[in-house]
Amino acid sequence: MSSSVYLRRRIVNVIALTLSGLATLLGLVFLAWILWVTLKNGFGAIGPRLFTKITAYADQGGLSNAIVGSLIMDLMALLICAPIGVLAGTFLAEYANRTRLGATIRFLNDILLSAPSIVLGLFVYVIVVLPMSKLTHGAVSFSGFAGAIALALIGLPVIVRTTDEMLQLVPGTLREATLSLGIPQWKSTVQVLMRAATSGIVTGVLLALARLAGETAPLLFTAFGNNFMTVHPLDKMESLPVAIYQYTNDPSPDLHAIAWAGALLITLFVLALSLLTRLLFTRHKVRYD
Amino acid sequence: MPAADTIPSSDQRSRTDARHDAWFRGLLKFCALLVLAALLGAALSTLWGGREVLFKDGFHFLASDAWNPVSDDYGALAPIFGTLVTSLIALVLAVPVSFGIALFLTEIAPTWLRGPVATAIELLASIPSIIYGMWGLFVFVPFMASIEPMLSDTLGKLPLVGKLFEGPPLGLGLLTAGIVLAVMILPFICSVMREVFQTVPVRLKESSYALGSTTWEVVWDIVLPYTRSAVIGGIFLGLGRALGETMAVTFVLGNAYSITSSLLMPGTSISSSIANEFNEAVGTHRSALIALGFLLFVVTFVVLLIARLMLRRLARKEGH
């Protein structure tokens, strides 16, 4: 009797553990499947004209304007969200760590972290694109600048959170030591604590870059797209994700090939960044554990 | 004793320091408040942009399944239906799989395997959603089209659930979108589960093992009850992601304003309606799309709020 109960428990255990292993395998299969398809189709289509020709030539063209546009907007977005994010994260960790305001902002920042990016795109459309269009009587409407703001909104919570967490990892004795020397708090924060957490803060910025570089939805109605090369931030600007989106929607297989090449570029960039941050982060952890 | 003339200067110095400190603090606070402004602004601006549709005939917008740009008649029911159905499919599929992976990574796998596998699963989260969309459209849709006749022949014959699997094998549709979403949100749910499973005190688990429990019994009867609220939080976090995801579903959903009983039929979702139509829309149509965005924001906000509250309960239990 008791041995049959024992046998049943053993069988349930084996089944459950097997299913758990299969679930892991399933997850890995999907990762391998997606990466393999992207690599195979992307490498087949990568050529010099991808980097030299603009999208206006369609299937005879490349993605050079999209690559340049993406670089410009990603960089502008970082320039906007990195300082704000680092300062906001510092506020949470150093000035408002145990206050109600700090808790509220931290809580809402976590929500912004997973808020739908398409709504953030609509937000920037309403507060940047529409007013600019009204102000300039339609001369400037969609722009790379608006796109950068939308992307900055996506990167911001990532930077706030990592900066906050990294500064909290800095030992409290360091704070007490600097303050006991009579150094003003801002100097202690900037020159000692932030410096101690530099690699963590850089990790946050890179994570934000990895996150915003692949975003498509918020760019559709802010930067719009542009088949010609432009570096002017107030022009409509093409970006890699939007170019991929347009080419994927097109029936032409030649355009699909170019889209795959663009997809490969973005995927490699984002994955390399994620792995790099992981490297930075583990080194950082070792230092403070 | 210090010389008399150094006293005012050091006094002055501390006053300057105090002033700089106040400025610095003000600057930091301003930046932190920008986070609040971003959230509030997103809600208010979409409410403002959608006012024409939301306030003129609010109930009609929420309750009607019409979507007709020619006669300017808009109802949000079909996109809401699509968003909810695809997200639910994603949850039903992703939750058990994430649980399995988290179980494997915390209890079963040898230590040397845990790091690499966990990294690989987390890479799924860093793949941009547009790549999921492309893979979905060019690879997964044909794959689904090839297995859907089989689904209709087997599951479609069952009573009750049979209705869900009727229809032509298009490959596109609610089920396909739900599966792609499931793959996308799986790493988020899994990483929360893995993290909280590791917070279970080893003492509890070892006591249970000492009483003769199997690994499965330890996980099901000790680990899971201990981490229940955080696990639910993680699931809601995944749901929040699924509701708002745009690019991955836009390509594979089929863009049809219909409410069907079959999961194999094409549909639409809030986010894909906005992505597909926004740049061609003018006037009321554009306002209707922004109003859809407002609805999406409110729904995801509530879901994420619940998620964070559940997750915070566990943090408090740990004593943070």
Side-chain angles (χ1 to χ4, degrees):
Chain A
M1 172 65 197
S2 82
S3 82
S4 87
V5 170
Y6 187 54
L7 188 68
R8 197 176 52 81
R9 287 172 54 203
R10 288 278 296 271
I11 291 174
V12 168
N13 186 46
V14 168
I15 292 175
L17 298 195
T18 314
L19 285 179
S20 145
L22 287 178
T24 312
L25 207 61
L26 187 69
L28 295 178
V29 162
F30 272 107
L31 176 71
W33 192 2
I34 294 169
L35 287 184
W36 166 244
V37 166
T38 312
L39 286 174
K40 190 187 68 175
N41 291 317
F43 269 121
I46 273 189
R49 93 185 143 91
L50 201 66
F51 303 97
T52 54
K53 291 254 175 85
I54 58 175
T55 49
Y57 298 110
D59 55 351
Q60 298 303 313
L63 291 169
S64 67
N65 55 330
I67 294 171
V68 169
S70 262
L71 286 177
I72 291 176
M73 282 192 285
D74 290 354
L75 199 71
M76 279 202 294
L78 273 194
L79 285 179
I80 297 169
C81 71
I84 297 177
V86 169
L87 292 178
T90 311
F91 180 75
L92 293 182
E94 298 299 323
Y95 288 82
N97 197 5
R98 305 230 181 273
T99 65
R100 183 167 292 178
L101 177 69
T104 312
I105 294 178
R106 197 171 282 146
F107 189 79
L108 291 175
N109 185 65
D110 280 349
I111 288 184
L112 186 61
L113 197 64
S114 9
S117 58
I118 193 156
V119 177
L120 297 178
L122 287 178
F123 171 41
V124 173
Y125 172 80
V126 173
I127 65 152
V128 179
V129 177
L130 283 184
M132 286 238 270
S133 164
K134 202 167 268 174
L135 214 66
T136 58
H137 301 288
V140 176
S141 56
F142 301 104
S143 66
F145 175 65
I149 292 182
L151 292 179
L153 281 176
I154 292 175
L156 179 70
V158 180
I159 299 180
V160 171
R161 191 179 176 163
T162 11
T163 306
D164 179 16
E165 277 176 4
M166 291 302 148
L167 278 173
Q168 289 192 30
L169 285 179
V170 177
T173 45
L174 215 56
R175 270 175 209 101
E176 289 161 11
T178 51
L179 290 178
S180 72
L181 291 175
I183 298 173
Q185 194 178 1
W186 72 267
K187 225 176 221 176
S188 147
T189 306
V190 174
Q191 297 187 350
V192 179
L193 304 178
M194 277 168 132
R195 188 173 288 181
T198 304
S199 76
I201 294 174
V202 171
T203 305
V205 175
L206 292 180
L207 275 176
L209 179 60
R211 176 89 198 277
L212 59 84
E215 278 295 344
T216 318
L219 290 176
L220 286 174
F221 4 100
T222 51
F224 199 75
N226 186 343
N227 277 331
F228 296 92
M229 177 73 80
T230 176
V231 291
H232 196 291
L234 292 181
D235 281 344
K236 290 179 181 134
M237 208 176 258
E238 188 78 346
S239 60
L240 264 179
V242 171
I244 295 172
Y245 174 68
Q246 286 160 343
Y247 281 5
T248 305
N249 266 334
D250 201 281
S252 152
D254 292 334
L255 293 186
H256 293 170
I258 299 178
W260 276 116
L264 178 66
L265 289 182
I266 290 196
T267 310
L268 287 182
F269 179 67
V270 170
L271 290 189
L273 263 180
S274 317
L275 291 174
L276 180 72
T277 49
R278 217 165 280 275
L279 226 66
L280 267 173
F281 189 64
T282 36
R283 223 185 56 204
H284 183 83
K285 244 190 190 161
V286 169
R287 200 184 293 167
Y288 283 108
D289 271 355
Chain B
M1 248 189 101
D5 60 324
T6 63
I7 293 169
S9 84
S10 90
D11 215 34
Q12 200 170 17
R13 167 127 187 224
S14 64
R15 240 181 286 134
T16 330
D17 281 349
R19 201 167 58 235
H20 289 167
D21 261 346
W23 285 345
F24 186 64
R25 192 197 161 87
L27 174 69
L28 295 190
K29 194 170 181 179
F30 172 73
C31 289
L33 288 175
L34 280 180
V35 174
L36 295 188
L39 268 181
L40 202 66
L44 292 180
S45 66
T46 44
L47 184 65
W48 173 250
R51 67 191 181 283
E52 198 181 325
V53 176
L54 282 172
F55 296 133
K56 208 174 63 189
D57 203 358
F59 186 72
H60 173 75
F61 179 68
L62 288 177
S64 154
D65 63 347
W67 191 271
N68 193 342
V70 181
S71 61
D72 261 352
D73 181 17
Y74 303 99
L77 216 51
I80 291 175
F81 171 80
T83 297
L84 293 181
V85 169
T86 50
S87 303
L88 276 182
I89 298 173
L91 271 195
V92 167
L93 297 174
V95 168
V97 175
S98 320
F99 176 61
I101 298 175
L103 169 61
F104 181 81
L105 287 175
T106 51
E107 302 292 334
I108 304 172
T111 323
W112 58 268
L113 196 63
R114 291 181 186 181
V117 173
T119 306
I121 296 295
E122 274 168 27
L123 281 188
L124 270 179
S126 51
I127 295 176
S129 61
I130 182 95
I131 311 294
Y132 277 96
M134 284 188 82
W135 167 79
L137 179 65
F138 292 130
V139 181
F140 199 62
V141 164
F143 173 77
M144 285 301 285
S146 71
I147 65 161
E148 275 176 5
M150 204 183 71
L151 283 179
S152 305
D153 286 346
T154 51
L155 296 173
K157 294 280 185 289
L158 297 173
L160 286 176
V161 290
K163 273 212 155 10
L164 296 177
F165 298 97
E166 285 172 345
L170 300 168
L172 294 163
L174 297 167
L175 181 65
T176 311
I179 297 176
V180 174
L181 274 181
V183 182
M184 285 201 71
I185 63 172
L186 183 151
F188 294 100
I189 303 178
C190 179
S191 87
V192 172
M193 286 187 178
R194 193 170 67 93
E195 224 166 84
V196 298
F197 285 0
Q198 283 167 346
T199 66
V200 178
V202 181
R203 230 178 315 138
L204 276 185
K205 289 197 278 183
E206 280 177 352
S207 315
S208 179
Y209 278 122
L211 290 173
S213 300
T214 60
T215 307
W216 170 247
E217 284 163 350
V218 169
V219 171
W220 192 252
D221 296 327
I222 306 294
V223 174
L224 211 51
Y226 188 85
T227 56
R228 192 188 297 124
S229 77
V231 167
I232 296 173
I235 293 171
F236 270 80
L237 211 59
L239 178 62
R241 289 266 171 189
L243 290 169
E245 181 44 50
T246 310
M247 284 306 143
V249 293
T250 301
F251 290 131
V252 299
L253 207 42
N255 196 26
Y257 282 90
S258 54
I259 297 176
T260 62
S261 62
S262 168
L263 300 182
L264 305 188
M265 295 297 278
T268 187
S269 75
I270 294 179
S271 52
S272 68
S273 294
I274 302 173
N276 275 325
E277 297 174 24
F278 194 80
N279 284 335
E280 278 96 54
V282 285
T284 317
H285 189 187
R286 183 162 276 191
S287 170
L289 290 170
I290 298 180
L292 275 184
F294 176 72
L295 288 183
L296 179 65
F297 186 78
V298 171
V299 173
T300 46
F301 186 85
V302 171
V303 167
L304 292 171
L305 199 74
I306 297 172
R308 291 296 169 189
L309 285 173
M310 298 300 263
L311 286 170
R312 214 167 58 158
R313 280 238 301 264
L314 187 94
R316 207 176 294 148
K317 200 151 82 184
E318 279 178 71
H320 283 309

